[in-house]
Amino acid sequence: MAYVITQRCCNDASCVADCPVDCIRPRPDEPGFASAEMLYIDPDTCIDCGACVDACPVDAVFAEDDLPDVLTGFADINAAYFRRHPLLPAADPVAPLRLPKNLGPLRVAIVGAGPAACYAAEELLRRSAAEIEIFDRLPTPWGLLRSGVAPDHRSTKAMTTRFEPVLDREAVGLHLNVEVGVHISHDELLADHHAVLYAVGASGDRALDIPGEDLPGSHSATEFVAWYNGHPDYADRVFDLSGPRAVIIGNGNVALDVARVLTMPPDLLEGRTDIAEHALTALRASRVTEVVLIGRRGPLQAAYTGPEFLALGHLDGVDVVVESTDLDLDPGSRALLDDPAAEPSLRLKYSVAQQYSTSAGTPGHRRIVFRYLASPTALTGDGKVESVELVHNELTARDGRLRAEPTDRTETLTAGLVLRAVGYRGTAQPGLPFDPARGVIPNEHGRVVGSDGAPVDRVYVTGWIKRGPQGVIGTNRVDAQETVEAILSDFAAGRLASPSGDRAALTELLDRRQPDRVGRDGWAAIDRAELAAGAAAGRPRVKLATRAALLAAACAPQQS
């Protein structure tokens, strides 16, 4: 019996370091790690010790004999990876730099309180005598773990328990509901710290740039995700769920998340998730029975991961529809699939699509329909979105890549709601350089660089604002390690000027400028209030979805 990694894998890679026989791949130091859909265990090398189970922060590892029915296919998915990538000894890892205590404390300001920020803080504390101040403009921490991960992915959301010990450390100061550039400037952060690290993620979204995109009923998927997750900036959004069909432009994992939320029975969402109450109320009244996902390229080039695509087939009361004609591959795609060196993840996507194409639908079920090789050209309607104009594409080989080229075939698809899910995008930060084409702060291995290519003194980045919106939650761990290595190297070399202030002075300044600052105690009070409301309702958590409610809960300890 071997152990098996399943759909929930977050690529945190803690299991890699804990495996006594080094049989989990890809490793963080391998080129394929950053683009890996998940990690895999070699069944022929695994010694059944279970160390990976204890190390996994999202409960993604099972003994093969204990796999739930919906996850049994992952035994072969793990084995297939090693048929393509036979296990080879890993290179000896380079010992990470650790600062000697005689250098004194390293003061670092981290802007952002999501996974990238928490991984960076954890790494700094592990490798130095760091004093860390964490800032976030929201009254709550966790970033996309709280407001971006789908509500039904409870194991992924539970990663907050992995980060809670970081925020509880005395060496960490927490300053929530504090916005850099409003309540404190970038230059003031630099004056009070050796280094400033931006881990602000990618809160923007990409536009379609087509006529009608601004019509009522057309929204970004990032808005919809934030709305159903109880983000206070989006709690008042209204989405028209009165029509029978919603269209999602894009077919990445976010598109799949949105499709699941729109089609899952509301009773399941209520009983198993922390979805926002206002969203649950709206979904109970929803008349959407079909969600169509539009992808501009073919099934082999779809942006979703194979495990997430496979999981759709286990939704209660939902049929997943793929037209068999969409699986007639062009010569270039067929060559990719037939190549003996093809990645197992590619074959998985295609085989799952084949399964869906042969499945008989069930009357009364809601439907998630995948449409490949199509692009929107316009959204049309009288005062609101009523239809999507599509052009059919064909894949052609150009510049060594298969590219989607429009044909002369067009189609009109009626829809009352259109959500674009074509990617998150980073936004510019006050006083810092920004690359608008890539939506990132330009950097070299985490060191921010200016337009002249020279490093910006004492400023660093990690997470999506560093590399773009790529990878999953755990990918930020390796990313943070690289940036922290740069900070520690610069500190050890004497390149970081000493700060002029300390935590007490900083806290006094923030309390003057932002009386509604939420510290560690305030966040703990919010957390208790939400968990208590959840327990009373028979749910994991009931989120406070407005800034006023969050701040009232944060002040509750002082009022009692």
Side-chain angles (χ1 to χ4, degrees):
M1 179 189 72
Y3 281 86
V4 176
I5 298 177
T6 66
Q7 173 202 349
R8 301 172 186 171
C9 179
C10 69
N11 290 33
D12 174 89
S14 297
C15 57
V16 175
D18 282 17
C19 177
V21 292
D22 192 28
C23 71
I24 303 176
R25 294 291 186 275
R27 293 175 59 91
D29 55 358
E30 294 179 339
F33 177 81
S35 59
E37 293 189 349
M38 56 179 283
L39 305 184
Y40 309 87
I41 294 174
D42 180 13
D44 295 331
T45 308
C46 176
I47 60 173
D48 311 332
C49 69
C52 51
V53 178
D54 296 332
C56 180
V58 293
D59 299 327
V61 187
F62 293 80
E64 185 174 0
D65 291 348
D66 296 334
L67 282 167
D69 290 344
V70 297
L71 299 177
T72 54
F74 281 91
D76 187 61
I77 289 171
N78 278 242
Y81 178 85
F82 290 95
R83 290 195 290 270
R84 169 66 181 86
H85 300 281
L87 190 64
L88 299 173
D92 291 336
V94 177
L97 174 65
R98 293 178 183 270
L99 293 185
K101 292 183 179 179
N102 62 3
L103 289 180
L106 166 65
R107 279 187 54 77
V108 179
I110 300 179
V111 184
C118 291
Y119 275 124
E122 180 181 60
E123 192 71 9
L124 283 164
L125 293 168
R126 187 173 68 86
R127 295 168 58 183
S128 69
E131 293 179 355
I132 300 169
E133 311 293 341
I134 294 179
F135 301 82
D136 200 287
R137 70 179 190 84
L138 293 178
T140 58
W142 314 137
L144 285 183
L145 265 180
R146 180 178 169 94
S147 62
V149 173
D152 58 326
H153 282 6
R154 286 184 62 183
S155 59
T156 303
K157 284 181 171 288
M159 281 192 73
T160 57
T161 61
R162 186 198 190 290
F163 298 131
E164 285 168 356
V166 176
L167 299 192
D168 286 342
R169 294 277 294 271
E170 285 301 316
V172 176
L174 189 60
H175 311 283
L176 304 175
N177 204 38
V178 173
E179 186 169 357
V180 174
V182 175
H183 303 115
I184 189 169
S185 71
H186 169 72
D187 288 341
E188 286 172 322
L189 288 182
L190 276 176
D192 282 343
H193 301 85
H194 289 98
V196 181
L197 170 57
Y198 284 82
V200 293
S203 58
D205 61 87
R206 299 183 184 279
L208 297 173
D209 294 326
I210 60 174
E213 186 172 6
D214 295 329
L215 280 172
S218 167
H219 310 267
S220 72
T222 56
E223 288 179 76
F224 191 71
V225 169
W227 170 76
Y228 66 58
N229 269 315
H231 191 300
D233 291 349
Y234 296 89
D236 61 350
R237 294 290 199 276
V238 176
F239 297 91
D240 185 357
L241 305 179
S242 63
R245 178 185 290 143
V247 170
I248 302 173
I249 309 299
N251 57 14
N253 282 351
V254 171
L256 268 59
D257 289 345
V258 171
R260 285 199 318 278
V261 168
L262 283 169
T263 55
M264 285 180 66
D267 286 348
L268 291 182
L269 286 169
E270 179 179 28
R272 300 178 185 175
T273 78
D274 65 353
I275 190 169
E277 287 287 306
H278 57 256
L280 191 59
T281 299
L283 290 168
R284 286 194 182 282
S286 171
R287 296 182 180 177
V288 174
T289 57
E290 180 178 273
V291 179
V292 181
L293 288 84
I294 306 294
R296 65 186 179 89
R297 297 192 292 174
L300 296 188
Q301 294 82 25
Y304 51 68
T305 60
E308 290 295 320
F309 190 39
L310 176 63
L312 288 181
H314 300 289
L315 291 177
D316 292 337
V318 179
D319 292 331
V320 183
V321 180
V322 174
E323 295 295 334
S324 58
T325 53
D326 279 350
L327 301 181
D328 296 333
L329 300 179
D330 62 280
S333 295
R334 174 55 64 183
L336 281 176
L337 191 65
D338 292 342
D339 186 343
E343 288 294 328
S345 58
L346 194 69
R347 292 197 172 101
L348 175 63
K349 285 181 180 179
Y350 190 72
S351 66
V352 173
Q354 286 179 311
Q355 293 172 29
Y356 293 150
S357 72
T358 58
S359 297
T362 303
H365 276 195
R366 293 182 178 184
R367 292 163 31 109
I368 297 176
V369 181
F370 285 83
R371 296 288 304 275
Y372 302 100
L373 291 170
S375 297
T377 57
L379 306 183
T380 59
D382 184 10
K384 65 176 183 177
V385 167
E386 295 173 346
S387 61
V388 183
E389 302 295 328
L390 299 174
V391 62
H392 291 258
N393 301 324
E394 62 182 9
L395 290 181
T396 59
R398 186 158 54 88
D399 301 328
R401 296 180 59 190
L402 287 172
R403 299 180 181 274
E405 303 287 355
T407 67
D408 57 1
R409 292 184 297 123
T410 60
E411 179 183 358
T412 299
L413 197 63
T414 60
L417 175 69
V418 176
L419 300 170
R420 63 180 184 276
V422 291
Y424 285 88
R425 189 176 186 281
T427 56
Q429 300 299 303
L432 296 183
F434 186 68
D435 180 347
R438 295 180 57 214
V440 300
I441 294 174
N443 68 94
E444 291 182 0
H445 305 294
R447 293 182 178 92
V448 173
V449 297
S451 57
D452 59 356
V456 176
D457 192 32
R458 302 188 291 130
V459 186
Y460 304 82
V461 285
T462 190
W464 280 3
I465 197 64
K466 170 186 176 183
R467 68 182 189 274
Q470 302 167 351
V472 291
I473 298 295
T475 314
N476 292 299
R477 182 169 180 254
V478 176
D479 198 45
Q481 289 170 348
E482 180 185 58
T483 297
V484 168
E485 182 76 19
I487 295 172
L488 299 185
S489 297
D490 291 347
F491 184 62
R495 289 191 286 266
L496 305 184
S498 297
S500 58
D502 58 15
R503 175 171 295 170
L506 174 69
T507 303
E508 181 183 352
L509 172 70
L510 292 175
D511 286 342
R512 287 201 315 269
R513 293 185 180 173
Q514 172 54 315
D516 291 329
R517 181 182 71 88
V518 175
R520 182 183 286 108
D521 291 344
W523 160 240
I526 292 171
D527 193 39
R528 286 194 301 271
E530 291 185 339
L531 291 173
R539 301 184 58 195
R541 175 187 295 268
V542 172
K543 289 178 177 173
L544 301 171
T546 67
R547 200 173 289 261
L550 288 163
L551 294 179
C555 294
Q558 293 142 20
Q559 296 170 347
S560 60

